[in-house]
């Protein structure tokens, strides 16, 4: 079959396997040519490993000097009568193919990270493949829902402001359209739901489970990813439901840090840059800011993608340093280039001028849309998009 892009709203309904491989190869190429990670971890568990920051971290640690073996947990859709499957599904397979070729172990566990059963499955895998211990745990799950395994109910996250309604624009990537909207404030239930899904609760459950099963190696570290952003984005992000969840994540990092101190290790929330990922295009009101940020940072040559961010995290913050550098709230900051004063001044000016008629000219809409397409394996150079692909055969050759 010939695979074409299908988008509804901001959700990709198809993915191109060969493009997914190409995107992975580009990231591998980046880390192989960048400064190597020194004194890096050898046995790494990545929860949320199939796309965005989790995938980039996996690539950086495997191919960027540390030569890590990895267990990756993710929740992805394989091919079925309904469609070709998700990009993350192919990312897992192609990552594994290239890691194996390099002599590295790369185990993919596709299951619900929130489930106690998945945690047990991972512990068994750590026993089997990692001699029972991990050196680094990366928590990079972005989800809209979390089942409550005790009651059978579902917690749902809501991306909303708290207290007051907020006006903002989002984009339909399907129709290349600017959509004005007003977001009503979240209810208490929505605040609580977002906290359960995107806060630190499940990260803590993972680390607790691994401590209880004696799977934590001496010096083991754990990181999860956060966002703070400039004032412009605070009404929808930091002061809203997502920000509440991230503050909870920061607090969790402190309690986990105390627990891991017993192993001479540490726990850190890492504040990343705003980037186009499967998860972030969902955040209403953030896209005008993202378009302006991309435009300014590209002009200034300070723009980074997930792979550059993760490489910088491992080479300059977490490994090969005497002491992990943190800010006054004990957060690792790799959002410094985004928050640069002159960058933010230019972004603010640009966002103030941006509207439904001019957003494609003023902001980096092309760049944002292209990155979204590339996340799903489309619009990459040197990929034959007219090739007839036998999905069943392809998957068979990779498993
Ligand atoms: P993403 O959507 O690219 O990746 C999310 C990962 O979570 C995927 O591997 C997916 O399979 C996995 N996942 C989702 N539900 C799951 C489940 N139930 N069980 C197992 N795996 C599951 O997201 P992205 O953007 O890389 O986000 C990762 C973290 O980084 C999130 O905490 C996000 O808030 C944070 N972050 C993102 C920023 C951005 O601009 N994209 C900026 C700063 C922080």
């Amino acid at each position: 079959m010939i695979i074409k892009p299908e988008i509804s709203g901001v959700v990709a309904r198809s993915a191109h396997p060969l493009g997914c491989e190409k995107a992975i190869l580009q990231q591998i190429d980046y880390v192989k040519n960048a400064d190597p990670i020194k004194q890096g971890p050898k046995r790494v568990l990545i929860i949320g490993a199939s796309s965005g920051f989790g995938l980039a971290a996996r690539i950086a640690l495997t191919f960027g000097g540390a030569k890590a073996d990895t267990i990756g947990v993710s929740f992805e859709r394989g091919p079925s009568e309904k469609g070709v499957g998700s990009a993350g599904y192919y990312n897992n397979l192609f990552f594994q193919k290239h890691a194996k070729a390099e002599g590295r172990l790369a185990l993919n566990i596709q299951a619900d990270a929130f489930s106690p059963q998945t945690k047990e499955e991972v512990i068994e895998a750590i026993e089997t493949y990692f001699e029972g211990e991990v050196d680094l745990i990366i928590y990079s799950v972005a989800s809209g829902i979390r089942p409550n395994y005790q009651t059978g109910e579902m917690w749902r996250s809501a991306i909303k402001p708290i207290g007051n309604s907020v006006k903002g624009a989002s984009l339909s990537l399907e129709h290349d359209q600017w959509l004005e909207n007003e977001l009503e404030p979240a209810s208490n239930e929505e605040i609580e739901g977002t906290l359960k899904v995107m806060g630190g609760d499940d990260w803590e459950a993972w680390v607790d489970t691994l401590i209880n099963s004696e799977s934590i190696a001496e010096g083991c570290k754990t990181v999860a990813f956060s966002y703070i952003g400039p004032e412009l984005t605070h009404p929808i992000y930091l002061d809203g439901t997502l920000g509440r969840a991230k503050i909870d994540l920061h607090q969790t990092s402190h309690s986990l840090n105390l627990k891991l101190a017993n192993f001479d290790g540490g726990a850190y929330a890492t504040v990343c840059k705003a980037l186009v990922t499967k998860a972030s295009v969902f955040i209403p009101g953030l896209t005008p800011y993202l378009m302006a940020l991309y435009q300014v940072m590209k002009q200034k040559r300070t723009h980074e993608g997930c792979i550059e961010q993760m490489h910088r995290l491992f080479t300059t913050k977490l490994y090969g340093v005497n002491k992990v550098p943190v800010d006054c709230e004990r957060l690792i900051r790799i959002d410094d280039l985004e928050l640069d004063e002159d960058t933010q001044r230019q972004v603010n000016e640009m966002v103030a001028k941006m509207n439904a008629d001019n957003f494609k000219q003023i902001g980096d809409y092309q760049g944002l849309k292209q990155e979204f397409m590339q996340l799903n394996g489309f619009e990459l150079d040197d990929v034959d998009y007219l090739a007839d692909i036998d999905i069943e055969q392809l998957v068979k050759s990779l498993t």
Side-chain angles (χ1 to χ4, degrees):
M1 68 189 291
I2 292 169
I3 304 168
K4 297 217 168 92
E6 287 168 39
I7 307 173
S8 43
V10 290
V11 180
R13 301 281 177 209
S14 69
H16 204 289
L18 304 186
C20 291
E21 179 175 28
K22 180 80 195 188
I24 284 181
L25 286 171
Q26 284 178 351
Q27 295 191 53
I28 293 175
D29 196 48
Y30 175 81
V31 291
K32 280 195 167 176
N33 289 299
D35 284 347
I37 302 167
K38 296 196 185 98
Q39 297 155 19
K42 294 287 177 210
R43 300 163 297 180
V44 182
L45 167 63
I46 301 161
I47 307 148
S50 59
S51 60
F53 287 116
L55 175 64
R58 197 176 193 191
I59 293 172
L61 291 164
T62 304
F63 298 96
K67 297 192 171 167
D69 291 333
T70 56
I71 297 174
V73 180
S74 61
F75 210 42
E76 297 294 344
R77 222 177 36 248
S80 70
E81 281 152 21
K82 288 191 194 145
V84 291
S86 58
Y89 175 82
Y90 295 102
N91 289 341
N92 283 338
L93 290 178
F94 284 114
F95 171 82
Q96 191 174 49
K97 170 183 153 183
H98 292 287
K100 267 188 189 164
E102 203 95 349
R104 301 272 55 88
L105 177 111
L107 184 72
N108 295 321
I109 296 183
Q110 302 202 62
D112 183 14
F114 297 115
S115 134
Q117 207 180 325
T118 305
K119 295 181 176 77
E120 288 309 315
E121 197 182 327
V122 167
I123 286 165
E124 273 175 38
I126 291 171
E127 279 297 323
T128 312
Y129 299 103
F130 284 178
E131 293 156 348
E133 289 182 341
V134 279
D135 302 309
L136 172 67
I137 306 151
I138 297 174
Y139 190 85
S140 186
V141 172
S143 175
I145 50 168
R146 169 181 176 182
N148 178 342
Y149 281 90
Q150 265 151 17
T151 64
E153 282 166 302
M154 200 64 100
W155 286 302
R156 286 174 200 284
S157 70
I159 306 171
K160 287 190 171 181
I162 294 177
N164 299 310
S165 59
V166 169
K167 281 194 180 141
S170 54
L171 294 178
S172 160
L173 296 171
E174 180 184 0
H175 301 297
D176 300 319
Q177 236 174 14
W178 171 280
L179 308 166
E180 292 285 349
N181 38 41
E182 182 161 350
L183 289 167
E184 292 303 316
S187 65
N188 285 338
E189 197 185 336
E190 287 171 324
I191 297 172
E192 190 53 32
T194 313
L195 207 78
K196 279 288 179 195
V197 181
M198 291 298 288
D201 195 50
D202 189 51
W203 182 24
E204 183 149 34
W206 271 98
V207 176
D208 283 345
T209 310
L210 292 164
I211 290 174
N212 291 338
S213 61
E214 299 181 353
S215 313
I216 301 285
E218 195 60 21
C220 175
K221 291 180 178 140
T222 185
V223 283
F225 302 121
S226 181
Y227 184 66
I228 291 179
E231 240 169 73
L232 185 66
T233 63
H234 286 184
I236 184 59
Y237 202 101
L238 192 63
D239 299 339
T241 49
L242 275 179
R244 261 315 148 86
K246 290 303 183 194
I247 287 162
D248 182 64
L249 191 84
H250 301 172
Q251 282 159 355
T252 303
S253 77
H254 305 319
S255 61
L256 292 182
N257 196 47
L258 289 177
K259 293 178 189 178
L260 289 189
N262 296 326
F263 303 85
D264 210 14
Y268 304 92
T270 299
V271 186
C272 302
K273 166 187 189 287
L275 275 170
V276 177
T277 64
K278 198 171 78 182
S280 67
V281 289
F282 257 102
I283 305 174
L286 194 72
T287 19
Y289 172 74
L290 266 177
M291 285 190 287
L293 185 71
Y294 270 43
Q295 184 80 314
V296 174
M297 291 187 83
K298 283 181 185 175
Q299 266 164 10
K300 280 180 167 279
R301 299 184 171 275
T302 54
H303 179 73
E304 293 175 306
C306 288
I307 193 68
E308 288 88 354
Q309 284 258 291
M310 291 299 102
H311 173 260
R312 194 148 70 90
L313 170 66
F314 298 127
T315 49
T316 67
K317 310 284 183 190
L318 272 187
Y319 295 103
V321 288
N322 287 333
K323 199 166 174 277
V324 175
V326 289
D327 71 3
C328 58
E329 292 180 45
R330 225 186 56 80
L331 301 168
I332 297 179
R333 306 297 297 252
I334 49 171
D335 59 344
D336 47 344
L337 300 175
E338 170 178 358
L339 295 183
D340 166 72
E341 207 174 306
D342 189 58
T343 300
Q344 284 303 320
R345 186 188 54 75
Q346 291 190 36
V347 168
N348 272 315
E349 282 173 13
M350 208 175 270
V351 171
K353 283 190 220 144
M354 210 183 276
N355 60 40
D357 300 321
N358 64 16
F359 73 96
K360 288 183 195 158
Q361 287 77 44
I362 292 190
D364 185 22
Y365 180 69
Q366 296 300 94
L368 183 142
K369 174 98 184 247
Q370 188 187 40
E371 209 161 297
F372 175 79
M373 298 303 283
Q374 291 184 342
L375 287 177
N376 298 294
F378 297 103
E379 294 189 16
L380 284 125
D381 290 338
D382 304 323
V383 174
D384 181 4
Y385 288 109
L386 298 175
D388 193 359
I389 297 184
D390 183 337
I391 294 278
E392 203 179 323
Q393 197 55 38
L394 177 80
V395 171
K396 217 183 255 174
S397 73
L398 291 167
T399 44

